[in-house]
Amino acid sequence: PSTNVGFIGLGNMGGPMAVNLLNKGHSIVVYDVSSEAVKRLEDEGAVAAASPSEVASKVDRIISMLPNSQHVRSCYGGDKGVFQSIRPGTLILDSSTIDPSVSKEMASLASKKGAVFMDAPVSGGVNAAAGATLTFMVGGEEKEFVAAKELLSVMGKNIVYCGEVGNGQAVKICNNMLLAITMIGTAETMNLGMRLGLEPKLMASIINTASGRCWASEVYNPVPGVLENVPASNDYQGGFGTALMTKDLGLVQGAATATHSPTPMGSLAHQIYRMMCNSGLAEKDFSSVYQFLQENNNN
Ligand code: NAD
């Protein structure tokens, strides 16, 4: 019996995650709609498959790292999807950030085939993917967590069990809502202070010992030059793209609507990030909200 691992979605995150599996001795079968992405992994020693269905026919564990819910639905449930040929007993770990209700839907389809689907979205960006230091937030049946953790540990440092399927996504999108709100708050605070004549490094250092302190002010400050080695000090390149943050805030709004939860700040954050996407910042890091506010300063 094969103990191969299948990997579907070999982009900014999935590519380096798959390389870590290879480097730690796993044989992997890969698929991506982009032939260049597949070629990069073949060059590292992976075996290419022509469809998700072909991947599923050759492995007993599958990891996917796709952009959004629609991609996950078609990859698993589509014509040449995983569920066409999945073997009973296969463990599926989907690390894409998607709608928690789609994770539940996939889990129920998987169980009809005798397979197990767990959601396992990640925190940590491309550097953490390359360095195998990701945090995985895992939802699904607890008895399956040991096997999930064993495989995810090859690509990450913290593997956290969050409860039933969909809970990993729930934690992930809640975190990203707070991250977006605090990033926008930090950016508008810094912008105002600087226009009041404050020096940004001094201002940040005081905030970071005062009650306004947060990850965005302290570790990922959006003002260029306050910190080194953050996207803000590198023309907002690399990091976590504004378009992906906008997608996550859209998932938050869907979840808030479905559960009748008031999220006034989250919905405003969504609108601001959508405007940024329409203002040429889609591919820039999400801390570029500072640049966006500056462009709207009334001089
Ligand atoms: P990406 O766009 O770089 O990669 C996605 C890959 O999936 C691409 O190679 C694309 O060709 C492939 N793909 C698209 N549709 C496909 C299909 N139907 N079948 C097979 N392959 C398909 O995105 P990414 O940055 O790697 O992000 C992936 C997921 O991880 C997203 O849900 C994102 O929100 C989440 N995430 C990203 C980061 C980050 O910092 N980039 C951090 C945490 C979580």
Side-chain angles (χ1 to χ4, degrees):
S2 161
T3 54
N4 279 351
V5 178
F7 206 112
I8 302 173
L10 308 164
N12 290 334
M13 295 292 288
M17 288 163 69
V19 168
N20 280 325
L21 286 166
L22 282 171
N23 288 345
K24 292 185 189 151
H26 290 274
S27 42
I28 63 172
V29 181
V30 299
Y31 174 72
D32 193 294
V33 288
S34 149
S35 51
E36 296 96 85
V38 172
K39 176 79 172 58
R40 277 196 293 275
L41 264 291
E42 275 186 296
D43 291 346
E44 301 276 343
V47 173
S51 65
S53 151
E54 190 186 330
V55 171
S57 70
K58 293 187 167 160
V59 302
D60 55 22
R61 287 172 292 174
I62 297 173
I63 300 164
S64 50
M65 192 46 159
L66 297 160
N68 63 39
S69 300
Q70 292 90 291
H71 299 102
V72 171
R73 270 211 183 100
S74 79
C75 165
Y76 286 96
D79 276 352
K80 291 185 175 167
V82 164
F83 293 143
Q84 295 291 326
S85 61
I86 194 164
R87 302 171 180 189
T90 300
L91 174 64
I92 299 168
L93 300 167
D94 177 40
S95 287
S96 328
T97 303
I98 61 166
D99 188 329
S101 71
V102 175
S103 303
K104 290 188 208 291
E105 192 183 306
M106 294 301 113
S108 124
L109 292 173
S111 79
K112 291 196 178 103
K113 302 278 180 181
V116 175
F117 180 101
M118 302 180 93
D119 56 314
V122 304
S123 175
V126 290
N127 291 337
T133 58
L134 292 166
T135 292
F136 285 89
M137 295 157 263
V138 185
E141 292 213 20
E142 193 164 14
K143 63 179 166 40
E144 310 292 347
F145 180 62
V146 175
K149 185 172 181 179
E150 188 195 341
L151 188 56
L152 297 175
S153 298
V154 175
M155 300 171 287
K157 199 168 59 175
N158 301 307
I159 323 296
V160 190
Y161 181 65
C162 302
E164 67 178 53
V165 69
N167 277 13
Q169 300 295 354
V171 178
K172 170 72 188 170
I173 64 176
C174 287
N175 178 74
N176 277 19
M177 176 174 83
L178 182 55
L179 174 61
I181 293 168
T182 53
M183 180 55 79
I184 295 167
T186 302
E188 67 187 42
T189 300
M190 294 297 298
N191 182 54
L192 173 63
M194 289 162 71
R195 286 170 68 84
L196 289 169
L198 296 170
E199 197 280 315
K201 273 193 181 177
L202 175 72
M203 184 180 172
S205 75
I206 294 168
I207 287 173
N208 289 333
T209 56
S211 46
R213 170 179 166 224
C214 61
W215 186 86
S217 69
E218 190 173 33
V219 183
Y220 210 92
N221 198 289
V223 179
V226 167
L227 296 174
E228 289 169 21
N229 297 322
V230 291
S233 296
N234 186 29
D235 194 26
Y236 300 103
Q237 292 176 69
F240 181 45
T242 292
L244 285 176
M245 177 55 101
T246 307
K247 178 225 15 161
D248 289 356
L249 290 167
L251 293 172
V252 166
Q253 288 310 294
T257 302
T259 56
H260 308 286
S261 311
T263 54
M265 302 295 282
S267 76
L268 184 54
H270 186 207
Q271 296 300 321
I272 290 169
Y273 274 102
R274 265 161 70 172
M275 286 192 278
M276 287 168 63
C277 285
N278 295 332
S279 303
L281 295 169
E283 305 309 321
K284 294 274 175 114
D285 181 73
F286 79 112
S287 64
S288 62
V289 62
Y290 173 74
Q291 182 184 323
F292 181 66
L293 294 175
Q294 273 217 314
E295 285 162 5
N296 287 284
N297 276 337
N298 184 11
N299 286 307

